[in-house]
Amino acid sequence: MNRKRVVRRALSGRTEPVYLEIGVKRGAAFRGVTADQKIAVDPAFKIPALYRRLAEAKARETLYFEMTSDAFFANEADFLQERGVDVALVDGLHTYAQVLADVENTLRYLKDDGVIVLHDCNPSLESIGYPAESIADFSAQHHWWNLLWSGDVWKAIVHLRSTRDDLRVAVLKGDFGVGIIRKGSPDSRLPYTVEEVKALGYADLKADRRRLLNLKGPSYLREFLAT
């Protein structure tokens, strides 16, 4: 199960859906999504012309916001309030703080049956889960052959499962861990305070990742979307 398939499944059957993607990069995921309106947010788009054409062929309207996600949410509140968001993919800066901010901002505009998808929630190696402030920071501290980076995105999952009783949150196995979030009563919760979440390290994840992430097999997605 990968993030692209999860997004497509979450959009399936919706009428005139609005799709938001944070962290579009070269558009590898964005180009394959079909929706009525597609909103792309990235501080520095690097989307080839062909990918843009493919992306725009699968939407009535495609909108590009070349700015940070923080600036987007600060400046485009009316735009988002008018449309709402059916499905969002959050795949921007791979830090706990930024992913949490992106999720919480998206939730303000998420429709009642909407879904947020997160990438990079289950790093399999300590090097992949290394906490850094940016990809440049990460790259400077690792060898060129060891540059897969998920950062500490996984801590955003633990944070939400510890502090929110109005969200269903889980992580699907595959594709470095695909987080899924929607409104509703949680399957289970975690007991951590915010300070305790901040103090967690990769060793904690490695020792107890199934419980911390509410880690599920790919078949769980059908149940999650149907509820």
Side-chain angles (χ1 to χ4, degrees), residues 13-90:
R14 294 175 184 265
T15 302
E16 299 183 346
V18 176
Y19 172 68
L20 169 65
E21 185 170 320
I22 297 171
V24 175
K25 304 179 184 69
R26 289 175 52 83
F30 194 72
R31 63 177 170 145
V33 172
T34 299
D36 183 61
Q37 296 183 52
K38 292 164 60 171
I39 304 164
V41 179
D42 198 288
F45 287 119
K46 298 179 180 179
I47 309 174
L50 173 60
Y51 283 17
R52 280 188 182 253
R53 290 196 297 271
L54 291 172
E56 291 164 11
K58 295 186 175 183
R60 178 181 60 82
E61 184 178 24
T62 306
L63 300 152
Y64 298 91
F65 293 85
E66 192 167 53
M67 59 184 68
T68 66
S69 56
D70 287 343
F72 171 70
F73 285 112
N75 298 334
E76 302 298 337
D78 291 343
F79 168 86
L80 287 164
Q81 191 67 52
E82 178 184 343
R83 288 161 174 78
V85 174
D86 288 272
V87 177
L89 172 60
V90 174

Coordinates of all heavy atoms in Angstrom, one line a residue, residues 13-90:
G13 N -15.5 7.8 -5.4 CA -16.9 7.9 -5.1 C -17.4 9.3 -4.6 O -18.6 9.5 -4.4
R14 N -16.5 10.2 -4.4 CA -16.9 11.5 -4.0 C -17.4 12.4 -5.1 O -16.9 12.3 -6.3 CB -15.7 12.2 -3.3 CG -15.3 11.5 -2.0 CD -14.1 12.2 -1.4 NE -13.6 11.5 -0.2 CZ -14.0 11.8 1.1 NH1 -14.7 12.9 1.3 NH2 -13.6 11.1 2.1
T15 N -18.3 13.3 -4.8 CA -18.8 14.2 -5.9 C -18.1 15.5 -5.8 O -18.0 16.2 -4.8 CB -20.3 14.5 -5.6 OG1 -21.0 13.2 -5.6 CG2 -20.9 15.4 -6.6
E16 N -17.4 15.9 -6.9 CA -16.7 17.1 -7.1 C -15.7 17.3 -5.9 O -15.8 18.4 -5.2 CB -17.6 18.3 -7.2 CG -18.5 18.2 -8.5 CD -19.4 19.4 -8.7 OE1 -19.6 20.2 -7.7 OE2 -20.0 19.5 -9.8
P17 N -14.9 16.4 -5.7 CA -14.0 16.5 -4.5 C -12.9 17.6 -4.7 O -12.4 17.9 -5.8 CB -13.4 15.1 -4.4 CG -13.4 14.6 -5.8 CD -14.6 15.2 -6.4
V18 N -12.5 18.2 -3.5 CA -11.3 19.1 -3.5 C -10.2 18.4 -2.9 O -10.3 17.8 -1.8 CB -11.7 20.3 -2.6 CG1 -10.5 21.2 -2.5 CG2 -12.9 21.1 -3.2
Y19 N -9.0 18.4 -3.6 CA -7.8 17.7 -3.1 C -6.7 18.7 -2.8 O -6.4 19.5 -3.7 CB -7.4 16.7 -4.2 CG -6.0 16.1 -3.9 CD1 -5.9 15.2 -2.9 CD2 -4.9 16.4 -4.7 CE1 -4.6 14.6 -2.6 CE2 -3.7 15.8 -4.5 CZ -3.5 14.9 -3.4 OH -2.3 14.3 -3.2
L20 N -6.1 18.5 -1.7 CA -5.0 19.4 -1.3 C -3.8 18.6 -1.1 O -3.8 17.6 -0.4 CB -5.4 20.1 0.0 CG -4.2 20.9 0.8 CD1 -3.7 22.1 -0.1 CD2 -4.7 21.3 2.2
E21 N -2.7 19.0 -1.7 CA -1.4 18.3 -1.5 C -0.3 19.3 -1.0 O -0.1 20.4 -1.7 CB -0.9 17.6 -2.7 CG 0.4 16.8 -2.5 CD 0.7 15.9 -3.7 OE1 -0.2 15.4 -4.3 OE2 1.9 15.8 -4.1
I22 N 0.2 19.0 0.2 CA 1.3 19.9 0.7 C 2.6 19.2 0.6 O 2.8 18.0 1.1 CB 1.0 20.1 2.2 CG1 -0.3 20.9 2.4 CG2 2.2 20.9 2.9 CD1 -0.8 21.1 3.8
G23 N 3.6 19.8 -0.1 CA 4.8 19.1 -0.4 C 4.8 18.4 -1.7 O 5.0 17.2 -1.8
V24 N 4.5 19.1 -2.8 CA 4.3 18.5 -4.1 C 5.6 18.1 -4.8 O 5.6 17.1 -5.5 CB 3.5 19.5 -5.0 CG1 3.4 18.9 -6.4 CG2 2.2 19.8 -4.4
K25 N 6.7 18.8 -4.5 CA 8.0 18.5 -5.1 C 7.9 18.5 -6.6 O 7.5 19.5 -7.3 CB 8.6 17.2 -4.5 CG 8.7 17.2 -3.0 CD 9.2 15.9 -2.5 CE 9.3 15.8 -1.0 NZ 7.9 15.8 -0.4
R26 N 8.2 17.4 -7.2 CA 8.2 17.2 -8.7 C 6.8 16.8 -9.2 O 6.6 16.6 -10.4 CB 9.2 16.2 -9.2 CG 10.6 16.7 -9.0 CD 11.7 15.7 -9.4 NE 11.4 15.0 -10.7 CZ 11.8 15.6 -11.9 NH1 12.4 16.7 -11.9 NH2 11.5 14.9 -13.0
G27 N 5.8 16.6 -8.3 CA 4.5 16.2 -8.7 C 4.3 14.7 -9.0 O 3.3 14.4 -9.7
A28 N 5.1 13.9 -8.4 CA 4.9 12.4 -8.7 C 3.6 11.9 -8.2 O 3.0 11.1 -8.9 CB 6.1 11.7 -8.0
A29 N 3.1 12.4 -7.1 CA 1.8 12.0 -6.6 C 0.7 12.9 -7.2 O -0.3 12.4 -7.7 CB 1.7 12.1 -5.1
F30 N 0.9 14.1 -7.3 CA -0.1 15.1 -7.7 C -0.6 14.8 -9.1 O -1.8 15.0 -9.4 CB 0.5 16.5 -7.6 CG -0.5 17.6 -7.7 CD1 -1.4 17.9 -6.7 CD2 -0.6 18.4 -8.8 CE1 -2.3 18.9 -6.7 CE2 -1.5 19.5 -8.9 CZ -2.3 19.7 -7.9
R31 N 0.3 14.4 -10.0 CA -0.1 14.3 -11.4 C -1.1 13.1 -11.6 O -1.8 13.1 -12.6 CB 1.2 14.0 -12.3 CG 1.9 12.7 -11.9 CD 3.1 12.4 -12.8 NE 3.8 11.3 -12.3 CZ 4.5 10.4 -13.0 NH1 4.4 10.5 -14.3 NH2 5.2 9.4 -12.5
G32 N -1.1 12.1 -10.7 CA -1.9 11.0 -10.9 C -3.3 11.1 -10.2 O -4.1 10.1 -10.3
V33 N -3.5 12.2 -9.5 CA -4.8 12.3 -8.7 C -5.9 12.9 -9.6 O -5.7 13.9 -10.3 CB -4.5 13.2 -7.5 CG1 -5.9 13.5 -6.8 CG2 -3.6 12.5 -6.5
T34 N -7.1 12.3 -9.5 CA -8.2 12.8 -10.2 C -9.2 13.4 -9.2 O -9.6 12.8 -8.2 CB -9.0 11.7 -11.0 OG1 -8.1 11.1 -11.9 CG2 -10.2 12.2 -11.6
A35 N -9.5 14.7 -9.4 CA -10.4 15.4 -8.5 C -11.0 16.6 -9.2 O -10.5 17.0 -10.3 CB -9.7 15.9 -7.2
D36 N -12.1 17.2 -8.7 CA -12.7 18.3 -9.3 C -11.7 19.5 -9.2 O -11.4 20.2 -10.2 CB -14.0 18.7 -8.7 CG -14.7 19.8 -9.3 OD1 -15.0 19.7 -10.6 OD2 -14.9 20.9 -8.7
Q37 N -11.2 19.8 -8.0 CA -10.2 20.9 -7.8 C -9.0 20.3 -7.1 O -9.2 19.5 -6.1 CB -10.8 22.0 -7.0 CG -12.0 22.7 -7.6 CD -12.5 23.9 -6.7 OE1 -11.7 24.7 -6.3 NE2 -13.7 23.9 -6.5
K38 N -7.9 20.6 -7.6 CA -6.6 20.1 -7.1 C -5.8 21.3 -6.7 O -5.5 22.2 -7.5 CB -5.9 19.3 -8.1 CG -6.6 17.9 -8.3 CD -6.1 17.2 -9.6 CE -4.6 16.9 -9.5 NZ -4.2 16.0 -10.7
I39 N -5.3 21.3 -5.4 CA -4.6 22.5 -4.9 C -3.2 22.0 -4.5 O -3.0 21.0 -3.7 CB -5.3 23.0 -3.6 CG1 -6.7 23.4 -4.0 CG2 -4.5 24.2 -3.1 CD1 -7.6 23.6 -2.7
A40 N -2.2 22.6 -5.1 CA -0.8 22.2 -4.8 C -0.1 23.3 -4.0 O -0.2 24.5 -4.4 CB 0.0 22.0 -6.2
V41 N 0.6 22.9 -3.0 CA 1.4 23.8 -2.1 C 2.8 23.4 -2.0 O 3.1 22.2 -1.6 CB 0.7 24.0 -0.7 CG1 1.5 25.0 0.1 CG2 -0.7 24.4 -0.9
D42 N 3.8 24.2 -2.3 CA 5.2 23.9 -2.2 C 6.0 25.2 -2.2 O 5.6 26.1 -3.1 CB 5.6 22.9 -3.3 CG 6.9 22.2 -2.9 OD1 8.0 22.9 -2.9 OD2 6.9 21.0 -2.6
P43 N 7.0 25.3 -1.4 CA 7.8 26.6 -1.5 C 8.6 26.7 -2.7 O 9.1 27.8 -3.1 CB 8.7 26.5 -0.2 CG 8.7 25.1 0.1 CD 7.4 24.5 -0.3
A44 N 8.9 25.6 -3.4 CA 9.7 25.7 -4.7 C 9.3 24.5 -5.6 O 9.8 23.5 -5.5 CB 11.2 25.6 -4.3
F45 N 8.3 24.8 -6.4 CA 7.9 23.8 -7.4 C 9.0 23.4 -8.3 O 9.7 24.2 -8.9 CB 6.7 24.3 -8.2 CG 5.4 24.4 -7.4 CD1 4.7 25.6 -7.3 CD2 4.8 23.2 -6.8 CE1 3.6 25.7 -6.5 CE2 3.6 23.3 -6.1 CZ 3.0 24.5 -6.0
K46 N 9.1 22.1 -8.6 CA 10.0 21.5 -9.6 C 9.3 20.5 -10.5 O 9.8 19.5 -10.8 CB 11.2 20.9 -8.9 CG 12.0 21.9 -8.0 CD 13.2 21.2 -7.3 CE 14.0 22.2 -6.5 NZ 15.1 21.5 -5.8
I47 N 8.1 20.9 -10.9 CA 7.2 20.0 -11.6 C 7.5 20.1 -13.1 O 7.4 21.2 -13.7 CB 5.7 20.3 -11.4 CG1 5.4 20.4 -9.9 CG2 4.9 19.3 -12.0 CD1 4.0 20.9 -9.6
P48 N 8.0 19.1 -13.7 CA 8.2 19.1 -15.2 C 6.9 19.5 -15.9 O 5.8 19.2 -15.5 CB 8.7 17.7 -15.5 CG 9.1 17.1 -14.2 CD 8.3 17.7 -13.2
A49 N 7.1 20.0 -17.1 CA 5.9 20.5 -17.9 C 5.0 19.3 -18.2 O 3.8 19.5 -18.2 CB 6.4 21.1 -19.2
L50 N 5.5 18.1 -18.5 CA 4.7 17.0 -18.8 C 3.9 16.6 -17.6 O 2.7 16.3 -17.7 CB 5.6 15.8 -19.2 CG 4.8 14.4 -19.3 CD1 3.7 14.5 -20.4 CD2 5.8 13.3 -19.6
Y51 N 4.4 16.6 -16.4 CA 3.7 16.3 -15.1 C 2.6 17.3 -14.9 O 1.5 17.0 -14.4 CB 4.7 16.3 -13.9 CG 5.5 15.0 -13.8 CD1 5.7 14.2 -14.9 CD2 6.2 14.7 -12.7 CE1 6.5 13.0 -14.8 CE2 7.0 13.6 -12.5 CZ 7.1 12.8 -13.6 OH 7.9 11.6 -13.5
R52 N 2.9 18.6 -15.2 CA 1.8 19.6 -15.1 C 0.6 19.3 -16.0 O -0.5 19.4 -15.6 CB 2.4 21.0 -15.3 CG 3.1 21.6 -14.2 CD 3.5 23.0 -14.5 NE 4.3 23.7 -13.4 CZ 3.8 24.5 -12.5 NH1 2.5 24.9 -12.6 NH2 4.5 25.0 -11.6
R53 N 0.9 18.9 -17.2 CA -0.1 18.6 -18.2 C -0.9 17.4 -17.7 O -2.2 17.4 -17.8 CB 0.4 18.4 -19.5 CG 1.0 19.6 -20.2 CD 1.2 19.4 -21.7 NE 2.2 18.4 -22.0 CZ 3.5 18.6 -22.1 NH1 4.0 19.8 -22.0 NH2 4.3 17.6 -22.4
L54 N -0.2 16.4 -17.2 CA -0.9 15.2 -16.7 C -1.8 15.6 -15.5 O -2.9 15.1 -15.4 CB 0.1 14.1 -16.3 CG 0.8 13.5 -17.5 CD1 2.0 12.6 -17.0 CD2 -0.1 12.7 -18.4
A55 N -1.3 16.4 -14.6 CA -2.0 16.8 -13.4 C -3.3 17.6 -13.8 O -4.3 17.3 -13.2 CB -1.1 17.6 -12.5
E56 N -3.1 18.5 -14.7 CA -4.2 19.4 -15.0 C -5.3 18.7 -15.9 O -6.5 19.1 -15.9 CB -3.7 20.6 -15.7 CG -2.9 21.5 -14.7 CD -2.0 22.5 -15.4 OE1 -2.1 22.7 -16.7 OE2 -1.2 23.1 -14.7
A57 N -4.9 17.6 -16.5 CA -5.9 16.8 -17.3 C -6.9 16.0 -16.4 O -7.9 15.6 -16.9 CB -5.2 15.9 -18.3
K58 N -6.5 15.9 -15.1 CA -7.3 15.1 -14.2 C -8.1 16.0 -13.2 O -8.4 15.5 -12.1 CB -6.5 14.1 -13.5 CG -5.9 13.1 -14.5 CD -5.1 12.0 -13.7 CE -4.7 10.9 -14.7 NZ -4.0 9.8 -14.0
A59 N -8.4 17.2 -13.6 CA -9.1 18.1 -12.7 C -9.8 19.2 -13.5 O -9.3 19.6 -14.6 CB -8.2 18.8 -11.7
R60 N -10.9 19.7 -13.0 CA -11.6 20.8 -13.7 C -10.7 22.1 -13.4 O -10.7 23.0 -14.3 CB -13.0 21.0 -13.1 CG -13.7 22.2 -13.6 CD -15.1 22.3 -13.0 NE -15.1 22.5 -11.6 CZ -14.8 23.7 -11.0 NH1 -14.6 24.8 -11.7 NH2 -14.8 23.7 -9.6
E61 N -10.1 22.2 -12.2 CA -9.3 23.3 -11.9 C -8.1 22.9 -11.1 O -8.3 22.1 -10.1 CB -10.2 24.3 -11.1 CG -9.4 25.6 -10.7 CD -10.3 26.6 -10.0 OE1 -11.3 26.2 -9.3 OE2 -10.1 27.8 -10.1
T62 N -7.0 23.4 -11.5 CA -5.7 23.1 -10.7 C -5.1 24.4 -10.3 O -4.9 25.3 -11.1 CB -4.8 22.3 -11.6 OG1 -5.4 21.1 -12.1 CG2 -3.5 21.8 -10.8
L63 N -4.8 24.5 -9.0 CA -4.3 25.7 -8.5 C -2.9 25.5 -7.8 O -2.8 24.5 -7.0 CB -5.3 26.3 -7.4 CG -6.7 26.6 -8.0 CD1 -7.7 26.4 -7.0 CD2 -6.7 28.0 -8.6
Y64 N -2.0 26.4 -8.0 CA -0.6 26.2 -7.5 C -0.3 27.4 -6.6 O -0.5 28.5 -7.0 CB 0.4 26.2 -8.7 CG 0.2 25.0 -9.6 CD1 -0.6 25.1 -10.7 CD2 0.8 23.8 -9.4 CE1 -0.8 24.1 -11.6 CE2 0.7 22.7 -10.2 CZ -0.1 22.9 -11.4 OH -0.3 21.8 -12.2
F65 N 0.2 27.1 -5.4 CA 0.6 28.1 -4.4 C 2.0 27.8 -4.1 O 2.4 26.9 -3.3 CB -0.3 28.0 -3.2 CG -1.7 28.4 -3.4 CD1 -2.7 27.4 -3.9 CD2 -2.2 29.7 -3.2 CE1 -4.0 27.8 -4.1 CE2 -3.5 30.0 -3.4 CZ -4.4 29.1 -3.9
E66 N 2.9 28.6 -4.7 CA 4.3 28.5 -4.4 C 4.7 29.3 -3.2 O 5.1 30.4 -3.2 CB 5.2 28.9 -5.6 CG 6.6 28.5 -5.5 CD 7.4 28.6 -6.8 OE1 7.3 29.7 -7.4 OE2 8.0 27.6 -7.3
M67 N 4.6 28.6 -2.0 CA 4.9 29.2 -0.7 C 4.9 28.1 0.3 O 4.6 27.0 0.0 CB 3.8 30.2 -0.4 CG 2.4 29.6 -0.3 SD 1.0 30.8 0.0 CE 1.0 31.8 -1.5
T68 N 5.4 28.5 1.5 CA 5.4 27.5 2.6 C 4.0 27.2 3.0 O 3.0 28.0 2.7 CB 6.2 28.0 3.8 OG1 5.4 29.1 4.3 CG2 7.6 28.4 3.4
S69 N 3.8 26.0 3.6 CA 2.4 25.7 4.0 C 2.0 26.6 5.1 O 0.8 27.0 5.2 CB 2.4 24.2 4.5 OG 3.4 24.0 5.6
D70 N 2.8 27.1 6.0 CA 2.5 28.1 7.0 C 1.9 29.4 6.3 O 0.9 29.9 6.8 CB 3.6 28.5 7.9 CG 4.0 27.3 8.8 OD1 3.2 26.4 9.1 OD2 5.2 27.4 9.3
A71 N 2.6 29.8 5.3 CA 2.1 31.0 4.6 C 0.8 30.8 3.9 O -0.1 31.6 3.9 CB 3.1 31.5 3.6
F72 N 0.6 29.6 3.3 CA -0.6 29.2 2.6 C -1.8 29.3 3.6 O -2.8 29.9 3.3 CB -0.4 27.8 2.0 CG -1.7 27.3 1.4 CD1 -2.3 27.8 0.3 CD2 -2.3 26.2 2.1 CE1 -3.4 27.3 -0.2 CE2 -3.5 25.7 1.5 CZ -4.1 26.2 0.4
F73 N -1.7 28.6 4.7 CA -2.8 28.6 5.6 C -3.0 30.0 6.2 O -4.2 30.3 6.5 CB -2.5 27.6 6.7 CG -2.7 26.2 6.3 CD1 -1.6 25.3 6.2 CD2 -4.0 25.7 5.9 CE1 -1.8 24.0 5.8 CE2 -4.1 24.4 5.5 CZ -3.1 23.5 5.4
A74 N -2.0 30.8 6.4 CA -2.2 32.1 7.0 C -2.8 33.1 6.0 O -3.6 33.9 6.4 CB -0.8 32.7 7.4
N75 N -2.5 32.9 4.7 CA -3.0 33.9 3.7 C -4.2 33.5 2.9 O -4.9 34.3 2.3 CB -1.9 34.1 2.7 CG -0.6 34.7 3.3 OD1 -0.7 35.4 4.3 ND2 0.5 34.5 2.6
E76 N -4.6 32.2 3.0 CA -5.6 31.7 2.1 C -6.8 31.1 2.9 O -7.5 30.2 2.4 CB -5.1 30.6 1.1 CG -3.9 31.1 0.3 CD -4.4 32.2 -0.7 OE1 -5.6 32.3 -1.0 OE2 -3.5 33.0 -1.1
A77 N -7.1 31.6 4.0 CA -8.2 31.1 4.9 C -9.5 31.2 4.2 O -10.3 30.3 4.2 CB -8.2 31.9 6.2
D78 N -9.8 32.4 3.6 CA -11.1 32.5 2.9 C -11.2 31.5 1.7 O -12.3 31.0 1.5 CB -11.3 34.0 2.4 CG -11.4 35.0 3.5 OD1 -11.7 34.5 4.7 OD2 -11.2 36.2 3.3
F79 N -10.2 31.4 1.0 CA -10.1 30.5 -0.1 C -10.4 29.0 0.3 O -11.3 28.3 -0.3 CB -8.7 30.5 -0.8 CG -8.4 29.4 -1.8 CD1 -8.8 29.5 -3.1 CD2 -7.7 28.3 -1.4 CE1 -8.5 28.5 -4.0 CE2 -7.4 27.3 -2.3 CZ -7.8 27.4 -3.6
L80 N -9.8 28.6 1.4 CA -10.1 27.3 1.9 C -11.4 27.1 2.6 O -12.1 26.1 2.4 CB -9.0 26.9 3.0 CG -7.6 26.7 2.4 CD1 -6.5 26.7 3.5 CD2 -7.6 25.3 1.7
Q81 N -11.9 28.1 3.3 CA -13.2 28.1 3.9 C -14.3 27.9 2.9 O -15.3 27.2 3.1 CB -13.4 29.3 4.7 CG -14.7 29.3 5.6 CD -14.5 28.3 6.7 OE1 -13.5 28.3 7.5 NE2 -15.4 27.3 6.9
E82 N -14.1 28.6 1.7 CA -15.1 28.5 0.7 C -15.2 27.1 0.1 O -16.3 26.7 -0.3 CB -14.7 29.5 -0.4 CG -15.7 29.5 -1.6 CD -15.2 30.5 -2.7 OE1 -14.4 31.3 -2.4 OE2 -15.7 30.3 -3.9
R83 N -14.1 26.4 -0.1 CA -14.0 25.2 -0.8 C -14.2 24.0 0.2 O -14.8 23.0 -0.1 CB -12.7 25.0 -1.6 CG -12.7 25.9 -2.8 CD -11.3 26.2 -3.3 NE -11.3 26.9 -4.5 CZ -11.5 28.2 -4.6 NH1 -11.7 28.9 -3.5 NH2 -11.5 28.8 -5.8
G84 N -13.5 24.0 1.3 CA -13.3 22.8 2.1 C -12.4 21.9 1.5 O -12.0 22.0 0.3
V85 N -12.0 20.9 2.2 CA -11.0 19.9 1.7 C -11.6 18.5 1.9 O -12.0 18.1 3.0 CB -9.7 20.0 2.5 CG1 -8.8 18.8 2.0 CG2 -9.0 21.3 2.2
D86 N -11.7 17.7 0.9 CA -12.2 16.3 0.9 C -11.0 15.4 1.3 O -11.2 14.5 2.2 CB -12.7 15.9 -0.4 CG -14.1 16.5 -0.7 OD1 -15.1 16.0 -0.3 OD2 -14.1 17.6 -1.3
V87 N -9.9 15.5 0.6 CA -8.8 14.6 0.9 C -7.5 15.5 0.8 O -7.4 16.3 -0.1 CB -8.7 13.5 -0.1 CG1 -7.4 12.6 0.1 CG2 -9.9 12.6 0.0
A88 N -6.6 15.3 1.7 CA -5.3 16.0 1.7 C -4.2 15.0 1.9 O -4.3 14.1 2.6 CB -5.3 17.0 2.9
L89 N -3.1 15.3 1.2 CA -1.8 14.6 1.4 C -0.8 15.5 1.9 O -0.5 16.5 1.3 CB -1.3 14.0 0.0 CG 0.1 13.4 0.1 CD1 0.1 12.2 1.0 CD2 0.5 13.0 -1.3
V90 N -0.3 15.2 3.1 CA 0.7 16.0 3.8 C 2.0 15.3 3.6 O 2.3 14.2 4.2 CB 0.4 16.2 5.3 CG1 1.5 16.9 6.0 CG2 -0.9 17.0 5.4

